[in-house]
Amino acid sequence: MNIPLLITPADRTVPITVQQRTTKSPAEAFRIIVPIDLSSVFKPVAPFPGVTGVLNQTEAWDHVGPSRNPQFGDGSQANEQLTEYTEGSSFAYQLTGFTNALAQLAVGVRGEWTFAPDGEGTLIRWSYEFKPRPGRRWIVAGPFAVLWRRYMRAALARCVETVEAGA
């Protein structure tokens, strides 16, 4: 499936990456995180709302192409589509159509999760690459990035707790 990508090499984006280790294998961590209940790990971290649910998921989140609409605690939503999927090692998606304040800052986001062997466990790396709106890069790269990184760290920690529990 050929999906038009949000971000091209010519774009000046704002990448934010967090990482954490787990004792589980890459395949096991991947198997647990890919279909994870978003509302169980993406909780509110001020000033950002948590995910309360997902609507309109077109099919299983296990190959390139499916889409869905994450719903946020402030009543807003976004469009999400799976753009890359490599069983056991990585997946990527893009988020567009935000109906909250993020719509004023960014055209969209490319998210990517990678699961790399790390000794007997896994290094999980989660990146968000924001495509800022014209004139808004300084906000996204400055004050917004500091707050967003905190949100990502909290969500990734909950994902790793879930992986460690073997859920």
Side-chain angles (χ1 to χ4, degrees):
M1 172 174 269
N2 193 9
I3 296 170
L5 297 179
L6 170 72
I7 295 174
T8 69
D11 291 320
R12 282 194 62 214
T13 62
V14 177
I16 302 172
T17 301
V18 296
Q19 63 183 34
Q20 192 169 337
R21 288 170 168 80
T22 177
T23 61
K24 304 297 184 182
S25 71
E28 189 171 3
F30 182 91
R31 179 187 58 77
I32 292 169
I33 288 180
V34 171
I36 204 163
D37 173 9
L38 301 182
S39 65
S40 72
V41 292
F42 296 99
K43 302 289 187 186
V45 176
F48 303 111
V51 174
T52 57
V54 173
L55 295 177
N56 308 316
Q57 187 158 331
T58 57
E59 50 195 302
W61 206 249
D62 61 1
H63 62 282
V64 171
S67 62
R68 60 189 181 187
N69 300 108
Q71 306 295 298
F72 304 107
D74 63 358
S76 65
Q77 69 174 17
N79 304 321
E80 181 179 30
Q81 185 170 28
L82 196 57
T83 58
E84 296 176 30
Y85 186 91
T86 303
E87 180 71 39
S89 66
S90 68
F91 67 98
Y93 50 93
Q94 52 193 32
L95 291 154
T96 57
F98 291 98
T99 63
N100 56 19
L102 191 52
Q104 303 305 310
L105 297 176
V107 175
V109 176
R110 180 186 187 275
E112 180 179 7
W113 290 74
T114 59
F115 302 81
D118 184 56
E120 294 188 22
T122 301
L123 176 65
I124 301 172
R125 191 171 284 129
W126 177 29
S127 296
Y128 243 42
E129 187 178 8
F130 290 86
K131 181 176 181 174
R133 291 201 176 278
R136 307 276 175 29
R137 188 179 191 288
W138 70 273
I139 298 170
V140 176
F144 179 87
V146 171
L147 297 170
W148 189 256
R149 186 172 288 106
R150 188 176 65 169
Y151 180 86
M152 289 177 71
R153 282 186 182 129
L156 180 56
R158 283 189 286 276
C159 287
V160 168
E161 287 172 11
T162 303
V163 169
E164 289 294 326

